[in-house]
Amino acid sequence: MLERIARFSFRRRRIVLLCWVVVLVGLGVLQGVTGSAFRTDFTLPDSESNDGFSLLRAASGGDGGGFDGTIVFRADAGVTDPTVVATMTEVFDRTRGVEGVTSLVSPYDGEVGASQIAPAGPLAGKVAFARVGFAPTLGQSDFLHITEEVKELLPEQEGLQVELGGQVFAEFEPPESELLGLAFAVVILLVSFGSVLAMGLPIGVALFGVGTGVTLLTLASHLINMPDFTNILAAMIGLGVGIDYALFIVTRYREAVHRGLSFEDATAESITTAGRAVLFAGCTVVISLLGMLLMGLDFVRGLGIGASIAVAMTMVASITLLPALLGFAQARVEVTRYRGLVAALAVAVALFLVGLKLVSAAGVVLLGGLAVVLASFVVAPLRREVPRREPKPMRETMWFRWSRTLQRHPWVGAIGGLFILVVLALPVFSLRLGFADEGNFPETSSVRRAYDILGEAFGPGFNGPLTLVAQVAPSDSAAATGAVLTAVTATPGVQAALPVTPPDSPLLVVQVIPATSPQDEATEELVATLRDDVLPAVEASIGTPVFVTGTVPANIDFASFIAGRLPIFFGAVLGLSFLLLMAVFRSLLVPLKAVVMNLLSIGSAFGVVVAIFQWGWFGELVGIGKGAPIEAWGPMMMFAIVFGLSMDYEVFLLSRMKEEYDRTGDNATAVADGVATTARVITAAAAIMVFLFGSFLLESNRAIKVFGVGLATAVFLDATVVRMILVPATMELLGARNWWLPRWLDRILPRIDVEGGGHAVERTPEPVG
C-alpha cells in the first residue's frame, strides 16, 4: 500500500500538491468563517475546593467561584486623601463596566472594604486594593482583552502608584520560539546535509502538516473543550516531529539514489522503509499524547486530542506530500547553488530577528525586498553550484568507528551512561508539584510589583488567602462564625482570620491569611492541617461541613489530583508502547530496554528541572528569582511529549539495526551499521529540538522556561547518552539474545514489518535528468 501511495504521489505530483494546497486554504477559510471556540475549564472533579466554589456560585446566582484579581494602589498622601479617593473611585466604577467583570469590592465600600487598607506598619494607610471578580468561563484571550481595557483606565498621577495583581492580569505573549526553532533547523540541516533542498523539503512538509493540523484542531474546538494554548502546543510538537519524519525519509531517498536507483524507485523505497518507521513512530507519539485522556480532566483531554491531530497530519504529509515534492526535486536534491544557499541563510537570519523580537515581520519583508534588488546586480556568480563533497563510505564514518569502540568496551559505556542518568535523576525524589506564585514574575511586570506591595503592606500570606465556606442558617451564622474563628486563629501558621460573610447570606465565609507565601510548603501544610485536624472538630460542633477553598487550595487540590493520576497515565503509555515494540521487533529485551532507557532519560530531565526551578540552582542564569514548586501539569506534559519523541529516535535506530540483523544475522555488524546510518539524522533532528525547546528560556514566563528546560534536557540526553552510548553498549552485551522471543508468544503476536524489509521495491526504468 505504501509503495502504491509513493508511486502515485510521485507520478501525480501536481495533483497531490494541488490537493494539499486546496485542503490547507479551504480549512483556513472555514476556520476564518467559524472562528475558534477555545475555552479553559480547570474544574476539578471531587475536590474540596471545587465544593467550596460550588457553594459560592450557588449563593451568588452563578457568578461566584470564578477567577479574581486585584487593583493595588499606593499613595504617598494616603489612600483616604480626597484626591486619591476621587481618582480611584472613578477607576473602580469604570472597571465594573468592563465586560467579563462580575464583581468589584473597593476599599471604600464601608466595613466590607475597610480590611483592604493596610492597617499597620510603615505602609499603614498608604496601600490599599480592590478585589475584582471574573466569570469562571473566561479564557486566556478574554483576560488579555480585559487587561488591556483595565490598563487604559489606570491613572498616571504623581504620588500614586497603581498596579494590577493576580495571575489573571499577567501579561501573556504567545511564545515565538517556533520561529527560532525554524531558524535553527535551517542552519543545522544545511550544515549536516549540505543541500538546500534536503533542508527545505523537511521544513516545507512539516509546515504543511502543522498548518493543516492546527486549522483542524481549531475547528474541532467547537466540539471538544480545548484550552487557549492548544494550538501553540500542537504547532510546537507538530513542527518538531514533522521535520524529524520528513528528514528520515529524505535521507533514505538520498541513500537509494546514491545506490543507483531511479528517482521514482528511490522514492518508493524510502516510503516503504523509512515511511513505515515514520508511521509506527507517529503512532507511538499519538498513543503517548492520547494517554492524557486517562487524566480525567477536560482541558487535558483537549490538549492531548489537539496535539494528536497535529502529529497525525504531519504523518500523512510525510507519506503523501513528501513523495510529490521529491518528484519535483529529483536530482536537484543533491544540487545547491550559491544563490540558494544565500537565500536559505537570509531566511534563517530573518527568522532569528523576528523570533528575538528585534524587528517586525513587516520589517523583514522590506529588508528582503531590498536584498533581492541588491542581489540582482551579482546574480551571475550566485548561479554557480556549491562544490559537493562525496559522502564517505558508511564504514569509514566517525559514527561507525564510535560504535565499534563502544562494542570493544561495552561495560564502560553501559556503566558510564547509566551513572550519568542516575545522578541527574536523583533530585526527582524531592519533586514537589504545585504552582509558582506571582513572586516569580519578572520585577518589571505590574503583577510582580502588585505582589511585592501587598506582601510588604499586609504580609506574604496576603497574596494567597484561604476561604472557608459552610452552609448555615442565618440564625446560626454568628455562633458558627465564632467557632470557626476561635479554632482557626489558634492554628500555627495563621496570620489572621476575618469574617467576610455577605449580609443575609445562607453561607458562612471566613478569610484566612497564612503567615507564609502562596507557594511556600508551609502554606500547603497549613491547608492540610485545617482540613484534617482543625476543622473536623468545628464541623462536629456546628453540624455542617466547612470547605477550605480559594486559589491556593484549588492549586493544591489540582496538584494532588494530577499526582494521583500520573501512575495510571505512565503505566498505560509504557505498557502499550512495550507491546507495540515487542510486536514490531519480535523481541522481549529490546522493548524492555527501550522503555527503561526512555524512563531514565525522562527522569534525568525531571531531575534537572527540580534542581534549577525548585531548588533554585543556576536560577539567575535562566532568569528566575527563586525556587518554587514545579507546575503540576509539567511532568504530565513533558512525559507525553518526550516519551513520544524518544520513541521516534528509538524506532529509527532499532528498525535499521533489525533490518541489518535480518539481512546478515550478525548482531555486532547490525548494531554498528545501524548506529552509523542513523546517527547523523538523529543528531540533526535532536539538535533542532534542543535549540527549539532551549529557546523557551528567552520567554519571561516561568512555566514556559520549565517546559523548555525539561524538554531540551530530555531530548539532548536521549539522543546522546541513550542512543549513542547505552543502546549500542547494551546491544553488544546481549548479543543475539536481543532478538529472542518465546515461540508461543511469537505465534500470537501480530506481525508488523516496520522497515518493509520483506517488501522488495520493483525497479522502474526512468531516465536520469
Side-chain angles (χ1 to χ4, degrees), residues 531-549:
R531 287 174 170 175
D532 300 336
D533 303 329
V534 176
L535 293 178
V538 177
E539 292 169 348
S541 66
I542 66 175
T544 187
V546 181
F547 301 108
V548 181
T549 188

Side-chain angles (χ1 to χ4, degrees), residues 551-634:
T551 302
V552 173
N555 289 341
I556 293 171
D557 290 344
F558 182 86
S560 177
F561 181 86
I562 290 290
R565 303 289 292 187
L566 281 179
I568 300 173
F569 170 47
F570 288 178
V573 172
L574 293 173
L576 191 53
S577 299
F578 174 81
L579 292 175
L580 285 174
L581 288 173
M582 186 166 58
V584 167
F585 296 114
R586 320 304 297 177
S587 165
L588 276 179
L589 294 179
V590 165
L592 181 62
K593 285 190 305 175
V595 169
V596 172
M597 289 180 187
N598 286 343
L599 277 178
L600 282 173
S601 63
I602 294 171
S604 301
F606 286 175
V608 171
V609 166
V610 170
I612 294 175
F613 293 95
Q614 183 174 315
W615 294 355
W617 292 6
F618 310 108
E620 295 298 327
L621 186 63
V622 299
I624 61 170
K626 54 185 176 181
I630 304 303
E631 277 67 15
W633 49 264

